[in-house]
């Protein structure tokens, strides 16, 4: 059950109603917070970049071109995706500066939807605790690492490498915040350098400094909108892929309690990271179109990056590409594990999951070991248990789909605060950064689209699965929230009613100096 006790925990001093604590707890908490704040401007920027730039930019451009039908329409879809990511960044910066503490969406949902008490938070807790976000990139790392070594890839050696990757990332993050940040920052700089190099190479092709057989740039940009599709379903499919390529702009919100001067840092780092990645994404797409013909992109599918490297630098460059994609995937694993571990810890500190006191603790290394292990276990379960093909793809879609629902709820609630001024005053919502009503509504509409688009029957050949129903991941994703809601009904409503008590929220301070919530059973 959640952190529920019959009385106060005598080992942890209680927080008083004015926010102070008995004994020296408050001073301990403050000093510990100062010690925890190790993420500066660059670390936050690269944390966001690492999460956004995974392997999608190397694989999805051809798939998006297939949906759009033309080079010009494809680039417009990428611009639209960048605009949506920018709006989402503004929304999350507003929340991050208004509630500058770790926990991200958990804090924002709890603030926006306080009644019934803990219901929405419990539904979100079920999602964040069970989803293995880093699993797919660990699998991709294994695939490309083996390819770079010239080892034939099969399900078992790919899984073994993925397991080792997750374990190595977890050990680094468990034992040292500084080394975890150093690895993340290095890989973040590496990703930016790779995207920059591809962009420069594309510019060199366009200006004639590098010649490519067949001059694909003239074909692609001579008639950029030739072949454009008018089918709304096809454009929806393409835009859906673009938007998911930008997911990650909210990564730093999960760890704001570890950010130096979080308000100022978020206002600067998040917009810079997202705008920088957006420009590079557009430049990389232009580079691909400059060196790879439209017909080759459509026939090659997800190998467009390999085709680009082969055309510009020769066949031997494909091995280099495998190394680059593998390192990019590892950077994403590091970033995801770092942020999701903090989310797990904050869910525990809210008293919403079993063994909350244990999961909420910070280790002597200053790291949330329990939160890291929980996310590592969720990822390993996917890597080991989900077979390749439909089952694995469905699991990954189940992980990503509920985020659209969360973002719709957050942006919809913020829109209400903008429209209803009296409600904003009642909630004392006056953050130092404002996303603005147009950006908030735009982000809300975009996430409604992401929520309902997967329920529309896809065109022939565009199905997400070979054998499973196209809507399955949406149904399962919603079911995860429903399980969290059912847990809340049992824990907060049914058991107290049956056993004759009510639950009252209390605060305590753990030995590491951090506050944790528990629920005291008060007899009726």
């Amino acid at each position: 059950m959640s952190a529920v006790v019959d009385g106060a925990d005598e080992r942890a001093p209680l927080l008083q109603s004015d926010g102070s604590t008995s004994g020296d707890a408050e001073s301990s908490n403050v000093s510990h917070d100062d010690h925890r704040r190790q993420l500066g401007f660059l670390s936050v920027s690269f944390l966001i970049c690492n999460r956004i730039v995974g392997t999608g930019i190397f694989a999805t451009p051809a798939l998006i071109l297939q949906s759009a039908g033309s080079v010009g329409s494809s680039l417009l879809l990428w611009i639209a995706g960048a605009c949506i990511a920018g709006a989402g960044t503004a929304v999350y910066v507003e929340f991050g500066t208004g509630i500058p503490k770790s926990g991200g969406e958990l804090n924002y949902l709890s603030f926006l939807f306080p009644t019934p008490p803990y219901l929405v938070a419990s539904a979100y807790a079920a999602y964040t605790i069970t989803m293995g976000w880093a699993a797919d990139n660990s699998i991709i790392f294994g695939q490309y690492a083996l390819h770079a070594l010239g080892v034939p890839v099969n399900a078992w050696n790919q899984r073994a490498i993925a397991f080792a990757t997750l374990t190595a990332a977890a050990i680094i993050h468990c034992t040292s915040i500084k080394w975890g940040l150093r690895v993340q920052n290095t890989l973040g700089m590496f990703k930016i350098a790779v995207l920059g190099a591809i962009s420069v190479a594309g510019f060199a092709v366009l200006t004639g400094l590098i010649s490519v057989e067949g001059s694909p740039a003239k074909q692609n940009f001579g008639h950029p909108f030739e072949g454009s599709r008018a089918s709304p379903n096809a454009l929806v499919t393409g835009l859906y892929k673009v938007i998911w390529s930008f997911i990650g702009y909210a990564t730093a919100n999960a760890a704001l309690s570890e950010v130096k001067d979080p308000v100022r840092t978020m206002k600067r780092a998040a917009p810079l990271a997202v705008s920088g990645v957006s420009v590079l994404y557009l430049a990389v797409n232009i580079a691909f179109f400059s060196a790879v013909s439209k017909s080759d992109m459509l026939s090659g599918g997800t190998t467009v990056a390999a085709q680009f490297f082969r055309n510009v630098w020769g066949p031997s460059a494909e091995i280099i590409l495998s190394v680059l994609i593998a390192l990019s995937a590892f950077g994403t694993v590091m970033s995801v594990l770092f942020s999701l571990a903090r989310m797990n810890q904050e869910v525990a500190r809210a008293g919403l999951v079993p063994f909350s006191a244990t999961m909420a603790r910070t280790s002597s290394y200053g790291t949330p070991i329990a939160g890291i292990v929980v996310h590592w276990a969720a990822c390993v379960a996917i890597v080991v248990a989900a077979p390749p093909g439909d089952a694995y793809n469905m699991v990954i879609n189940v992980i990503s789909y509920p985020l659209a629902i969360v973002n719709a709820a957050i942006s919809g609630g913020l829109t209400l605060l903008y429209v209803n001024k009296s409600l904003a005053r009642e909630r004392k919502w006056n953050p130092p950064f404002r996303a603005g009503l147009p950006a908030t509504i735009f982000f809300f509409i975009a996430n409604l689209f992401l929520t309902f688009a997967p329920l529309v029957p896809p065109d022939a050949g565009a199905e997400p699965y070979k054998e499973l129903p196209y809507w399955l991941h949406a149904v399962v994703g919603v079911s995860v929230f429903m399980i969290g809601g059912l847990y809340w009904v049992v824990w907060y409503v049914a058991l107290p009613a049956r056993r004759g008590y009510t639950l009252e929220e209390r605060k305590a301070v753990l030995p590491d100096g951090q506050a944790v919530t528990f629920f005291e059973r008060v007899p009726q």
Side-chain angles (χ1 to χ4, degrees):
M1 293 297 296
S2 300
V4 180
V5 296
D6 293 316
D9 186 348
E10 295 180 355
R11 294 170 296 176
L14 289 178
L15 290 172
Q16 307 300 325
S17 60
D18 62 354
S20 62
T21 64
S22 59
D24 296 324
E26 187 179 35
S27 60
S28 172
N29 192 30
V30 172
S31 63
H32 185 82
D33 275 349
D34 291 341
H35 176 71
R36 294 177 71 208
R37 295 190 184 279
Q38 300 190 51
L39 278 72
F41 172 77
L42 287 178
S43 292
V44 171
S45 299
F46 286 127
L47 180 65
I48 296 171
C49 288
N50 253 327
R51 177 65 184 90
I52 297 176
V53 183
T55 57
I57 185 59
F58 300 108
T60 59
L63 301 177
I64 293 163
L65 173 63
Q66 184 179 22
S67 297
S70 71
V71 172
S73 295
S74 178
L75 293 176
L76 288 177
L77 288 180
W78 279 99
I79 292 173
C83 292
I84 293 171
T89 301
V91 168
Y92 273 91
V93 171
E94 174 163 349
F95 275 116
T97 57
I99 309 176
K101 62 179 183 178
S102 295
E105 293 93 338
L106 177 68
N107 297 325
Y108 316 147
L109 291 169
S110 299
F111 171 76
L112 292 170
F113 308 102
T115 55
Y118 317 112
L119 172 58
V120 174
S122 295
Y124 180 77
Y127 166 63
T128 192
I129 288 288
T130 58
M131 297 293 104
W133 277 92
D136 61 335
N137 275 279
S138 68
I139 289 282
I140 292 170
F141 175 86
Q143 176 184 343
Y144 281 95
L146 290 167
H147 185 266
L149 295 171
V151 177
V153 179
N154 59 57
W156 293 108
N157 60 14
Q158 184 172 288
R159 285 171 174 168
I161 297 294
F163 174 82
T165 302
L166 290 166
T167 303
I171 291 173
I172 293 172
H173 279 316
C174 281
T175 55
S176 175
I177 291 180
K178 288 185 178 180
W179 273 106
L181 292 177
R182 286 169 182 166
V183 172
Q184 284 183 185
N185 291 349
T186 300
L187 291 172
M189 288 186 282
F190 168 79
K191 289 184 181 186
I192 297 301
V194 170
L195 296 184
I198 293 174
S199 302
V200 171
F203 178 78
V205 172
L206 288 174
T207 56
L209 296 176
I210 297 177
S211 60
V212 175
E213 185 179 353
S215 301
K218 292 182 179 179
Q219 301 174 26
N220 291 333
F221 295 113
H223 302 281
F225 290 96
E226 184 178 1
S228 296
R229 293 181 184 272
S231 167
N233 188 287
L235 294 176
V236 161
T237 301
L239 185 57
Y240 198 86
K241 291 183 175 67
V242 171
I243 292 173
W244 284 120
S245 297
F246 280 97
I247 291 300
Y249 43 79
T251 302
N253 293 63
L256 283 180
S257 295
E258 299 179 48
V259 174
K260 301 173 184 177
D261 193 358
V263 171
R264 183 170 182 266
T265 300
M266 280 295 292
K267 289 167 67 175
R268 296 166 60 225
L272 176 65
V274 175
S275 60
V277 169
S278 299
V279 170
L280 285 173
Y281 270 11
L282 189 62
V284 166
N285 273 274
I286 293 174
F288 287 161
F289 287 126
S290 71
V292 183
S293 68
K294 179 180 175 182
S295 59
D296 284 346
M297 288 185 71
L298 292 175
S299 62
T302 59
T303 63
V304 58
Q307 293 174 314
F308 174 84
F309 272 63
R310 187 189 310 118
N311 291 352
V312 175
W313 289 299
S316 60
E318 288 190 52
I319 299 299
I320 298 175
L321 174 65
S322 295
V323 175
L324 298 181
I325 293 179
L327 290 175
S328 181
F330 184 67
T332 303
V333 170
M334 290 289 294
S335 176
V336 171
L337 193 58
F338 179 91
S339 59
L340 266 295
R342 271 69 184 174
M343 289 300 305
N344 290 342
Q345 185 179 43
E346 294 305 317
V347 165
R349 285 178 176 164
L352 298 172
V353 294
F355 311 108
S356 289
T358 300
M359 282 188 59
R361 295 177 187 272
T362 300
S363 72
S364 58
Y365 297 106
T367 59
I369 288 181
I372 293 170
V373 170
V374 167
H375 191 68
W376 172 87
C379 294
V380 168
I382 294 173
V383 167
V384 173
D390 274 0
Y392 177 77
N393 292 334
M394 197 274 287
V395 170
I396 297 304
N397 288 335
V398 166
I399 293 172
S400 58
Y401 176 77
L403 185 58
I405 300 175
V406 172
N407 283 338
I410 288 173
S411 53
L414 185 57
T415 299
L416 184 61
L417 290 177
Y418 272 105
V419 174
N420 192 335
K421 301 296 184 182
S422 60
L423 178 62
R425 287 192 296 270
E426 178 185 332
R427 299 286 184 86
K428 299 179 180 178
W429 185 245
N430 188 29
F433 176 90
R434 293 284 190 173
L437 184 59
T440 304
I441 293 177
F442 180 55
F443 189 56
F444 175 61
I445 294 173
N447 279 283
L448 286 181
F449 156 72
L450 285 173
T451 299
F452 292 105
L455 303 179
V456 178
D459 290 340
E463 298 88 352
Y465 312 112
K466 294 180 180 179
E467 298 180 0
L468 299 175
Y470 67 89
W471 42 261
L472 186 60
H473 62 275
V475 173
V476 176
V478 171
S479 298
V480 173
F481 290 134
M482 294 179 66
I483 290 172
L486 179 61
Y487 170 79
W488 173 84
V489 169
V490 174
W491 156 65
Y492 193 77
V493 179
L495 285 179
R498 180 179 178 84
R499 298 179 180 178
Y501 62 84
T502 59
L503 292 176
E504 292 190 7
E505 180 181 313
R506 298 286 187 268
K507 299 287 186 181
V509 176
L510 295 173
D512 64 9
Q514 293 300 301
V516 64
T517 297
F518 68 93
F519 295 89
E520 183 178 357
R521 294 172 180 169
V522 179
Q524 290 181 328

